[in-house]
């Protein structure tokens, strides 16, 4: 289930989550492989055209994250989202996610050090 979704639920009250996942899946079936990526904005436009309901990109990201957590083979790049088509493409997406996580951990360490220096106490998370 999607967490931190409460703020967006009202906007989606007439769009069942399962239906949204199904619609995104249908769209991405036509966008297999990194070279065929579709932007989040375009996915939202297709959903609005087909359903007459507006979905913003932040909501789309949350749903796609949830789909990934549930095993959907979805990749993303600067060009948008796509279905992963092979082992190499999947490996590259996993590596990219690891690199992003490493970068975030570096920021967390630096911010924690700054907190300690500035406030004179260890930050306990």
């Amino acid at each position: 289930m999607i967490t931190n979704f409460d703020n967006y639920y009202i906007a989606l009250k007439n769009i069942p989550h399962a239906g949204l996942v199904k619609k995104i899946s249908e769209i991405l079936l036509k966008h297999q492989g990194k070279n065929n990526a579709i932007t989040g904005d375009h996915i939202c436009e297709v959903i609005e055209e087909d359903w007459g309901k507006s979905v913003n990109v932040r909501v789309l990201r949350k749903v796609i994250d949830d789909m990934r957590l549930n095993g959907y083979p979805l990749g993303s790049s600067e060009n948008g989202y796509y279905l992963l088509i092979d082992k190499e493409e999947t490996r590259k997406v996993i590596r990219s996610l690891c690199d992003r996580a490493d970068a975030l951990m570096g920021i967390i360490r630096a911010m924690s050090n700054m907190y300690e220096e500035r406030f004179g106490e260890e930050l306990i998370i």
Side-chain angles (χ1 to χ4, degrees):
M1 190 54 137
I2 295 177
T3 59
N4 300 322
F5 201 62
D6 302 330
N7 296 337
Y8 304 107
Y9 182 74
I10 294 169
L12 294 175
K13 65 183 177 188
N14 295 319
I15 303 173
H17 178 246
L20 188 55
V21 169
K22 183 178 179 192
K23 185 64 185 170
I24 293 167
S25 297
E26 289 171 4
I27 294 166
L28 291 176
L29 276 172
K30 299 173 187 167
H31 297 275
Q32 297 185 24
K34 185 176 181 177
N35 293 334
N36 297 308
I38 179 174
T39 66
D41 286 334
H42 194 203
I43 292 172
C44 291
E45 288 171 11
V46 171
I47 291 169
E48 187 167 0
E49 287 171 12
D50 290 356
W51 285 3
K53 304 285 183 195
S54 179
V55 175
N56 71 45
V57 176
R58 286 177 27 188
V59 170
L60 177 69
R61 274 191 230 116
K62 286 188 171 289
V63 174
I64 286 176
D65 286 347
D66 188 53
M67 291 171 72
R68 287 173 164 169
L69 287 169
N70 285 284
Y72 284 79
L74 305 179
S76 59
S77 70
E78 63 279 355
N79 297 321
Y81 298 101
Y82 55 94
L83 281 178
L84 297 167
I85 56 174
D86 60 28
K87 183 167 70 171
E88 184 60 22
E89 204 169 71
T90 304
R91 189 192 65 73
K92 286 179 181 178
V93 168
I94 292 168
R95 181 72 253 154
S96 173
L97 291 169
C98 288
D99 291 345
R100 287 171 52 197
D102 290 345
L104 283 173
M105 286 307 299
I107 293 169
I108 291 167
R109 281 190 294 277
M111 295 289 296
S112 296
N113 289 339
M114 177 276 303
Y115 180 92
E116 249 181 77
E117 291 172 10
R118 185 169 181 195
F119 301 108
E121 62 183 57
E122 183 180 345
L123 177 65
I124 299 176
I125 302 174

